[in-house]
Amino acid sequence: MCALLVLGGATVFYYNRLVFNRHRVAEAASGIDVQLKRRASLIPALVECVRQYMSYEQSTLQALVQQRMRAVQLADSPLGQRAPVEAKLGSQLRQLFALVEAYPELKADSQFRELQGTISEVEDHIQMARRYYNGAVRELNVLVESVPSNLVARLFSFAPAEYFTMDDLRHGQSPKMEF
């Protein structure tokens, strides 16, 4: 009887830890989602601001707009599927800001500088949210895969979560923005 009580108590304990960590992963994913949507909402204003100055760089602007559209279309997809598209969007932003160096009048535009600063801030928030998410995923996955919590995880169909990874480590860097 005592062994059954201990087994029941351990099951409840590990079940609650698994539930807590699953919710923390969902909350962390929501944090990433908010920042990705925030970045996507800033891109049209950035493109309009830049378009006025960069008439010769239309292909760069079009590529950025198309990548943003892909990211918006995948907004409800799992983070693992979205990561490569979001990484490419960050890469497109870095490419745009590199081209801006050739346009001193654009760099001096107050609206552009404000957008540039806001996007830089959002990129930093995306990095922090991604690190928090991956830490939450690690905690959940350790519980799902280690003994004895893996027994409870299997019993209640808990599965490991997918990390938010980037194939190219440069995609994890914020665009360099000089004022």
Side-chain angles (χ1 to χ4, degrees), residues 71-166:
V72 169
Q73 288 171 346
L74 292 175
D76 293 331
S77 300
L79 283 177
Q81 291 176 1
R82 293 172 54 194
V85 173
E86 295 294 347
K88 181 73 174 165
L89 182 57
S91 178
Q92 293 285 341
L93 279 170
R94 278 189 297 286
Q95 183 179 354
L96 175 67
F97 288 125
L99 287 172
V100 164
E101 294 301 315
Y103 296 87
E105 64 278 0
L106 176 58
K107 285 174 45 176
D109 183 277
S110 62
Q111 180 186 9
F112 175 76
R113 284 195 327 260
E114 185 178 319
L115 283 166
Q116 192 177 35
T118 303
I119 288 175
S120 179
E121 179 185 308
V122 169
E123 290 292 332
D124 289 341
H125 286 285
I126 289 170
Q127 281 187 345
M128 289 187 297
R130 192 182 75 239
R131 282 193 299 270
Y132 178 72
Y133 172 81
N134 284 340
V137 166
R138 181 190 62 242
E139 296 285 327
L140 176 64
N141 289 352
V142 166
L143 282 172
V144 168
E145 296 174 6
S146 62
V147 176
S149 57
N150 69 336
L151 301 172
V152 176
R154 280 190 208 137
L155 181 65
F156 293 102
S157 302
F158 282 86
E162 196 172 339
Y163 286 98
F164 190 85
T165 59
M166 304 208 171

Side-chain angles (χ1 to χ4, degrees), residues 3-126:
L4 194 56
L5 191 59
V6 168
L7 181 62
T11 300
V12 168
F13 172 77
Y14 286 118
Y15 177 82
N16 287 338
R17 283 191 61 201
L18 287 160
V19 168
F20 171 80
N21 282 287
R22 181 173 56 191
H23 284 284
R24 190 162 62 170
V25 167
E27 182 258 336
S30 175
I32 290 175
D33 202 38
V34 165
Q35 296 305 322
L36 294 175
K37 286 177 182 176
R38 188 172 166 213
R39 176 177 66 180
S41 71
L42 291 169
I43 289 174
L46 178 69
V47 167
E48 272 311 305
C49 183
V50 170
R51 185 171 293 177
Q52 298 171 16
Y53 293 94
M54 299 176 70
S55 59
Y56 299 107
E57 308 292 349
Q58 290 302 312
S59 63
T60 301
L61 294 175
Q62 287 174 345
L64 179 61
V65 169
Q66 288 173 350
Q67 196 61 37
R68 177 196 176 267
M69 286 177 22
R70 283 189 208 104
V72 169
Q73 288 171 346
L74 292 175
D76 293 331
S77 300
L79 283 177
Q81 291 176 1
R82 293 172 54 194
V85 173
E86 295 294 347
K88 181 73 174 165
L89 182 57
S91 178
Q92 293 285 341
L93 279 170
R94 278 189 297 286
Q95 183 179 354
L96 175 67
F97 288 125
L99 287 172
V100 164
E101 294 301 315
Y103 296 87
E105 64 278 0
L106 176 58
K107 285 174 45 176
D109 183 277
S110 62
Q111 180 186 9
F112 175 76
R113 284 195 327 260
E114 185 178 319
L115 283 166
Q116 192 177 35
T118 303
I119 288 175
S120 179
E121 179 185 308
V122 169
E123 290 292 332
D124 289 341
H125 286 285
I126 289 170

